[in-house]
């Protein structure tokens, strides 16, 4: 027993260090945002301040909408691609892997200029163009999440088994493939949502305003209010992702197939 | 009604390689035919073409007198068990077994009963609610077998279903599959590269080589009368012992025996193909061979022997017969009477 405890000591230690590293700035920010210098008390004044700002709801809803749009694009474009690559489209695998890495390699400024000059005019005048850009930025993470998850399930054998048992392609995809890859797909969407909700650089370079850029602008007029906003957006995104996480049950799939 | 399964001139090419070369095969009702051969011989390709998971370039597949090679996989009514575990991880064992019935529109209560019945048949009546990760490899393959049998397929296709399992589970499941197949009377094709598996389970074994069936026969016929050198070498142990043709006989190790078949008669450098158990060994100081090693295998023992010219070969004797033979001993080895294959060395 003693040995066991000793062995797990470094693990607990690193957990504590990680927790302090992540939580301390957060807690400090929260504490700071609750201060009320005039009365030397704690209160929700600064939170009430930004909630009452006329643009708060607008930008929050816009950012959520853009993030959902990006997630939808990943769902429609990337999921079928990744499934197909794992079913046997091996020839293009290398090329597509390279393609998904590009957003990490191309400087954001180049991406911004590229987007501005190459997109059709109607897309440039509509803020939902950002959903497309977020989807591109999320490619490296979403694709790798999908690919790793899909590799863990014997997709080809399962698909063939389903067809052999009398399921046509449609039923195979709906009743066999979808449930099996569900948690993997949700993880990829999770990534995309998180990344989209926090995206600042490209949005700002393209002169669009979303929740993140709005927070930055606001922070210049009310520093405590801005910190309250930051804490809010962190917690809000966290809660949102937790809610989505509830759907990603630790289902019976994705477990090691080798355990005998 | 025609035979349960018939393949006619099935050819499958992958770019430059010919995986199946005009394959013909006919399987009788309730028969278990094993497709045996080295990797790349086309056995799995043949199975996948029967299942509809791959398409032949030419040739026909018939099931019960109906041509099915144009039908998609899901309309063929074939039960298939794969080499790798293929259970649906999101369904429990019972739902897995019932899947084929669900696709055929069977009512819920009916398919639950049938699934339960089949799980009992494969010895897992208490595992209905277990998921893939709660089952061992052997149990997963049992469930896969139950799933393949649940909807009473026209033909059961087994693609090396035992090769991912460890030796003990493998031996048990081998017997279970065979008894289940006999019990249900399901016409079955069994693909394997393991000759012991094929020989012990099948009614007939088709030895495949280079996309063709080299020989298809009952296991004992295959063993005792291999059609050619490839089959002889692939099924069981086979010695190659130098031989000289003397009129219509052949001299092997001082014994004059019959010739079953001989290729390239005019050649002088010939070898006879002789099974280890077709040799007689007796201790003799002036004998024609020497014992190199003896390995004890329980009731039988294997002797590694060497001729004066240095040719090594094996003989299998009962342990009783070989008890007084030790390495280094001189022995007289002779070949039991019979007809043997003679091939160029």
């Amino acid at each position: 027993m003693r040995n066991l405890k000793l062995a797990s000591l470094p693990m607990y230690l690193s957990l504590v260090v990680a927790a302090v590293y992540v939580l301390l700035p957060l807690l400090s920010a929260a504490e700071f945002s609750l201060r009320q210098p005039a009365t030397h008390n704690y209160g929700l004044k600064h939170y009430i301040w930004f909630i009452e700002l006329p643009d708060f709801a607008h930008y929050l809803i816009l950012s959520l909408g853009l993030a959902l749009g990006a997630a939808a694009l990943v769902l429609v474009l990337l999921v079928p691609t990744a499934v197909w690559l794992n079913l046997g489209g091996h020839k293009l695998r290398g090329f597509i892997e390279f393609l998904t890495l590009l957003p990490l390699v191309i400087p954001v400024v180049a991406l911004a200029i590229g987007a501005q000059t190459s997109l059709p005019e109607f897309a440039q005048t509509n803020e939902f163009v950002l959903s497309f850009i977020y989807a591109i930025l999320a490619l490296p993470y979403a694709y790798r999440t999908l690919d790793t998850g899909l590799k863990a399930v014997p997709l080809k054998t399962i698909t063939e088994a389903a067809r052999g048992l009398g399921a046509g392609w449609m039923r195979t995809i709906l009743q066999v493939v979808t449930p099996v890859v569900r948690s993997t797909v949700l993880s990829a969407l999770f990534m995309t949502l998180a990344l989209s909700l926090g995206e600042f650089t490209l949005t700002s370079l393209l002169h669009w305003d979303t929740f993140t850029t709005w927070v930055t602008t606001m922070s210049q007029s009310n520093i405590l209010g801005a910190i309250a906003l930051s804490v809010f957006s962190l917690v809000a995104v966290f809660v949102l992702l937790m809610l989505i996480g509830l759907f990603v049950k630790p289902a019976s799939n994705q477990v090691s197939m080798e355990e005998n | 009604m025609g035979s349960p399964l018939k393949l006619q001139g099935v050819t499958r090419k992958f770019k430059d390689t010919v995986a199946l070369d005009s394959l013909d095969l006919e399987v009788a009702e309730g028969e278990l035919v094993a497709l045996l051969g080295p990797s790349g011989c086309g056995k799995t390709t043949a199975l996948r073409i029967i299942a509809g998971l791959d398409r032949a370039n030419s040739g026909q597949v018939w099931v019960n007198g109906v041509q099915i090679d144009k039908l998609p996989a899901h309309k063929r009514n074939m039960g298939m068990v794969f080499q790798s575990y293929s259970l649906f991880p999101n369904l429990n064992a019972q739902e897995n077994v019932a899947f084929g019935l669900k696709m055929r529109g069977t009512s819920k209560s009916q398919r639950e009963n049938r699934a339960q019945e089949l799980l009992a048949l494969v010895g897992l009546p208490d595992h209905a609610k277990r998921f893939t990760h709660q089952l061992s490899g052997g149990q997963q393959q049992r469930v896969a077998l139950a799933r393949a049998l649940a909807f009473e397929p026209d033909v059961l296709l087994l693609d090396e279903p035992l090769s991912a399992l460890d030796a003990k589970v493998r031996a048990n499941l081998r017997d279970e599959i065979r008894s289940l197949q006999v019990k249900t009377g399901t016409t079955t094709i069994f693909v394997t590269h393991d000759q012991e598996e094929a020989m012990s389970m099948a009614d007939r074994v088709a030895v495949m080589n280079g996309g063709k069936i080299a020989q298809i026969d009952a296991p004992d016929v295959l063993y005792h009368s291999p059609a050619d050198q490839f089959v002889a070498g692939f099924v069981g142990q086979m010695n190659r012992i130098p031989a000289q043709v003397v009129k219509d006989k052949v001299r092997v190790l001082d014994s004059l025996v019959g010739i079953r078949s001989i290729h390239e008669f005019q050649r002088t450098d010939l070898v006879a193909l002789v099974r280890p158990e077709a040799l007689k060994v007796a201790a003799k100081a002036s004998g024609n061979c020497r014992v190199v090693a003896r390995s004890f295998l329980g009731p039988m023992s294997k002797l590694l022997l060497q001729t004066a010219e240095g040719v090594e070969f094996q003989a299998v004797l009962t342990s009783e017969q070989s008890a007084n033979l030790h390495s280094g001993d001189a022995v007289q080895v002779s070949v039991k009477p019979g007809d043997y294959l003679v091939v160029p060395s």
Side-chain angles (χ1 to χ4, degrees), chain A residues 91 153-154 156-158 160-169 171 175-176 179-180 252-253 255-257 259-260, chain B residues 48 52-53 73-74 78 82 84-90 99-100 102-104 131 133 135-137 140 147 151:
Chain A
K91 277 182 204 156
V153 272
K156 188 164 185 268
T157 315
I158 284 175
E160 288 183 346
R163 287 170 60 213
L165 290 166
W169 270 114
R171 292 176 95 170
Q175 295 185 22
V176 177
V180 169
S252 51
N253 51 14
V255 265
S256 108
M257 301 298 239
E259 87 181 282
N260 284 316
Chain B
R48 293 176 60 83
L53 299 173
H74 67 278
M78 303 275 175
F82 295 81
S84 52
Y85 310 135
S86 63
L87 295 185
F88 307 131
N90 56 313
F99 188 87
K102 193 177 172 191
M103 293 302 117
R104 283 159 180 77
F131 284 91
H133 66 285
L135 297 166
S136 71
Q140 287 191 44
R147 182 176 71 176
F151 52 91

Side-chain angles (χ1 to χ4, degrees), chain A residues 84-221:
Chain A
W84 173 71
L85 282 178
N86 276 281
L87 276 179
H90 303 296
K91 277 182 204 156
L92 283 172
R93 179 184 278 276
F95 174 68
I96 289 176
E97 269 179 14
F98 167 73
L99 215 63
T100 59
L101 273 178
L102 283 182
L104 287 182
V105 184
I106 299 174
V108 185
V109 181
L111 211 69
I113 294 169
Q116 225 156 19
T117 50
S118 61
L119 285 174
E121 208 163 313
F122 75 90
Q124 291 192 34
T125 53
N126 188 324
E127 53 220 341
F128 273 90
V129 69
L130 286 173
S131 284
F132 288 89
I133 288 165
Y134 293 164
I136 292 172
L137 290 178
L139 268 184
Y141 314 102
Y143 176 77
R144 256 144 211 88
T145 310
L146 277 174
D147 197 48
T148 315
L150 291 177
K151 270 187 192 144
V153 272
L155 209 57
K156 188 164 185 268
T157 315
I158 284 175
T159 313
E160 288 183 346
R163 287 170 60 213
L165 290 166
W169 270 114
M170 205 59 193
R171 292 176 95 170
T172 302
I173 286 168
L174 288 179
Q175 295 185 22
V176 177
V177 176
T178 309
V180 169
V181 303
R182 196 190 58 161
S183 59
T184 299
V185 169
L186 282 173
S187 307
L189 296 183
F190 207 88
M191 288 269 182
T192 313
L193 277 179
L195 189 134
S196 305
L197 286 172
E199 212 291 323
F200 173 80
T201 324
L202 251 174
T203 315
S204 159
L205 280 171
L206 288 172
H207 303 297
W208 288 109
D209 271 325
T210 58
F211 193 68
T212 40
T213 58
W214 178 75
V215 169
T216 320
T217 318
M218 284 304 111
S219 71
Q220 285 155 11
S221 62

Side-chain angles (χ1 to χ4, degrees), chain B residues 121-124 138 142 145 149 162 169-183 201:
Chain B
L121 202 62
V122 295
L124 297 171
R142 281 196 178 88
L145 187 66
L149 286 169
L162 307 174
V169 180
R170 210 172 158 143
N172 286 339
L173 202 52
R174 185 162 81 190
D175 299 340
E176 281 177 39
I177 291 180
R178 177 57 166 162
S179 73
L180 206 63
Q181 185 266 336
V182 172
K183 208 185 288 177
M201 289 172 76

Side-chain angles (χ1 to χ4, degrees), chain A residues 25-33 47 50 225-237:
Chain A
L26 249 177
L27 289 174
S28 312
E31 190 266 347
F32 197 55
S33 70
Y47 287 86
F50 72 72
I227 289 169
L229 251 176
S230 304
V231 171
F232 166 80
S233 43
L234 254 170
V235 172
V237 170

Side-chain angles (χ1 to χ4, degrees), chain B residues 188-229:
Chain B
T188 304
I189 301 281
F190 185 98
V191 162
T192 180
H193 63 268
D194 182 333
Q195 49 132 337
E196 199 186 316
E197 221 165 82
M199 302 292 267
S200 63
M201 289 172 76
D203 294 304
R204 282 190 302 155
V205 176
V207 180
M208 290 185 67
N209 186 23
K212 278 180 186 288
I213 291 180
Q215 184 176 6
I216 175 163
D217 262 312
D220 50 342
V221 178
L222 210 64
Y223 187 81
H224 294 297
S225 316
D228 60 25
Q229 214 179 153

